[in-house]
Amino acid sequence: VGLGPMNDYVKRFTEAHPGTRVEIDYLHPNKVYDAVLAGDADYGIVSFPQTRRDLTVVPWCTEEMALACPPNHRLSRQPLVKLKEIEGEKFVAFEPELVIRREIDRFLKKHGIDIKVVLEFDNIEAIKSAVEVGSGISLLPRPTFEREVKTGTLAAIAFSPNGFKRPLGFIHRRGKKLHKNAALFLDLLKKEKKEEGSLA
């Protein structure tokens, strides 16, 4: 989901509800499902949420994908990049077993784009760090690296053809009633995205 945005949401919630505490773990997506099913988490937030018999999925928002590259990269000065321009570029990717990786691969294949994967990670923070030091470029949800764009360590470039968005959703164990504070935090997250205009 991205450390920066979620930390902002937690800060806002604890300020509005003094005395409450939000515990967040950043886990591999498969472990998010496991934690929710085991009752170790009230709910999880995952991209491309998978429908399961023992889980309830609540759509949250969609995030536009953008090209992430170092600010000194040849593509960083363009307002719009045609996908064919990233052909053969060194690419920092998600690990192959992740749904988002399969969706990115499918999207690039659909448009006939071959990239050279040089590194693979299971989380966005590691991908951002690798791109920042010049290991390659990547396709990431734009909201997850807005902070780096503001500080000048990454550039976010729109690409064409696009129409590629990442859906995010909440998952919780079917039939389990959420604790009052958990439900309030969920409401805050929905409200924030609604105000941003990205509610699914």
Side-chain angles (χ1 to χ4, degrees), residues 14-198:
T14 52
E15 287 175 351
H17 302 276
T20 60
R21 189 180 74 210
V22 181
E23 292 183 10
I24 296 181
D25 287 326
Y26 290 88
L27 304 172
H28 187 284
N30 290 342
K31 293 190 180 296
V32 174
Y33 285 94
D34 292 342
V36 170
L37 288 172
D40 297 329
D42 290 296
Y43 49 82
I45 303 174
V46 292
S47 64
F48 301 96
Q50 306 297 298
T51 302
R52 299 188 185 183
R53 184 179 55 187
D54 43 6
L55 287 174
T56 296
V57 175
V58 180
W60 181 28
C61 64
T62 57
E63 297 177 329
E64 180 187 5
M65 300 292 284
L67 180 68
C69 62
N72 60 352
H73 192 276
R74 66 179 182 86
L75 299 174
S76 66
R77 291 174 291 278
Q78 298 180 208
L80 181 70
V81 168
K82 292 189 180 299
L83 272 181
K84 64 182 180 182
E85 294 182 71
I86 71 170
E87 180 86 29
E89 282 280 341
K90 290 189 293 183
F91 197 85
V92 183
F94 289 93
E95 289 185 347
E97 69 270 17
L98 296 182
V99 178
I100 190 170
R101 168 65 183 275
R102 295 198 292 271
E103 293 295 331
I104 290 173
D105 287 351
R106 187 178 294 119
F107 176 76
L108 293 175
K109 183 177 180 180
K110 175 184 174 183
H111 295 287
I113 307 300
D114 288 320
I115 39 90
K116 184 165 59 178
V117 175
V118 292
L119 290 170
E120 297 172 329
F121 297 102
D122 68 356
N123 67 88
I124 288 173
E125 299 304 314
I127 292 176
K128 290 192 295 188
S129 296
V131 174
E132 282 178 334
V133 298
S135 298
I137 63 173
S138 191
L139 291 182
L140 294 173
R142 184 184 286 267
T144 63
F145 64 110
E146 284 180 347
R147 184 166 296 183
E148 288 78 9
V149 171
K150 288 177 182 175
T151 58
T153 60
L154 285 176
I157 315 298
F159 55 89
S160 175
N162 195 335
F164 183 23
K165 296 185 177 182
R166 175 178 84 149
L168 289 174
F170 302 101
I171 57 170
H172 63 85
R173 205 165 57 189
R174 190 178 295 278
K176 179 184 178 182
K177 185 176 180 180
L178 289 177
H179 183 277
K180 178 184 175 183
N181 286 337
L184 286 172
F185 186 59
L186 200 64
D187 288 342
L188 178 139
L189 294 177
K190 291 179 179 177
K191 180 183 176 185
E192 292 292 331
K193 288 299 182 183
K194 186 174 183 179
E195 290 176 356
E196 292 170 11
S198 59

